[in-house]
Amino acid sequence: MSYQYNIGCSLENLKGVRDFIRKSLREHVRSDVTLNEIILALDEMCSNLMIHAHHCNPDHHLELTIDVPKKDKVVFEIIDDGEMFDINRYHEPAIDNLVHEKRKGGLGIRLVKSIMDEVQYVRKDGRNVCRLTKIVA
Amino acid sequence: MVHIKRLQEDGADILAVIGEIDASSSIELDLAIAKSVGEGSKKILVDCSALEYISSAGLGVFMSYIEEFKDKNIHMVLFGMKEKVVNTFQILGLSDLLHISLTKVEAKKLLHELSV
């Protein structure tokens, strides 16, 4: 089974992303905590792209697909045409530094890396594809 | 998306956070806390019993006040979180940096202990 959702790059649309993931995966992911973690990771990835790669331009779009190839595995792809930002190459600041500097950002990527089992970037048909894999028990 | 109700009880400000906090709505939480602080509150309770979701933007708001609260001798305790919400704080170990209680009674007790 696979699902697709197209999103304009406005932060107001994040709720729609979360609702889409919740509805699509309700039957595949039994644990409410795990489902919330998955939703959180995708929310973080989409908001990062909207803000940093698309400057919240609602005319720019992200395509989110969800694929459940096996019953214990969920694969997400976020496809866009913006500047590629590889979170695997980003070294997030230490939590202590965030507290000290009173910074409000810097936690999202850390969450994604903690929650997802794999984060890969590929180019497909001239577009960026970020593929996130989650193994669900 | 998020609605914040403020009430005062036994010398503490109680901020009830209702709904979902994400990158589009975290500013509401920030403004509510800033208002309490600006009006001189030294004790803040955050009622999270109707908080359905929080993303890093909301976590970042709470984190950004830690130093200021230390400097100004302000204490804040969060309480009543659903399991999926408290889990979001635990993933990065933020539950060790903030004060989080299960119930309002426990939160008030902790706030009292922190303030003496």
Side-chain angles (χ1 to χ4, degrees), chain A residues 5-68:
Chain A
Y5 190 73
N6 296 340
I7 318 136
C9 288
S10 160
L11 297 178
E12 303 293 323
N13 294 336
L14 290 170
K15 175 150 181 58
V17 174
R18 297 197 295 272
D19 290 344
F20 163 71
I21 300 166
R22 190 174 293 114
K23 276 182 202 151
S24 305
L25 293 182
R26 194 175 281 153
E27 289 166 23
H28 301 289
V29 181
R30 294 276 170 216
S31 156
D32 204 22
V33 170
T34 305
L35 183 55
N36 186 69
E37 285 187 354
I38 289 171
I39 289 169
L40 176 63
L42 271 297
D43 178 322
E44 300 293 347
M45 289 302 293
C46 290
S47 59
N48 258 338
L49 279 173
M50 286 178 181
I51 295 167
H52 299 296
H54 297 277
H55 310 288
C56 296
N57 182 340
D59 296 330
H60 290 196
H61 284 80
L62 310 179
E63 286 175 30
L64 170 62
T65 62
I66 307 176
D67 188 26
V68 188

Side-chain angles (χ1 to χ4, degrees), chain B residues 40-100:
Chain B
S41 299
K42 294 289 182 193
K43 298 182 197 175
I44 301 171
L45 288 169
V46 184
D47 180 352
C48 299
S49 53
L51 177 61
E52 297 298 327
Y53 174 82
I54 187 163
S55 75
S56 71
L59 298 177
V61 171
F62 287 121
M63 302 289 290
S64 71
Y65 282 98
I66 291 176
E67 289 280 310
E68 183 180 350
F69 285 2
K70 263 187 211 157
D71 295 345
K72 294 184 177 169
N73 201 29
I74 297 169
H75 301 286
M76 180 173 70
V77 179
L78 287 65
F79 71 91
M81 281 183 211
K82 291 177 167 59
E83 188 190 2
K84 62 182 180 181
V85 174
V86 78
N87 177 64
T88 301
F89 285 81
Q90 287 166 340
I91 294 170
L92 301 182
L94 307 186
S95 45
D96 300 331
L97 299 169
L98 300 162
H99 299 292
I100 299 175

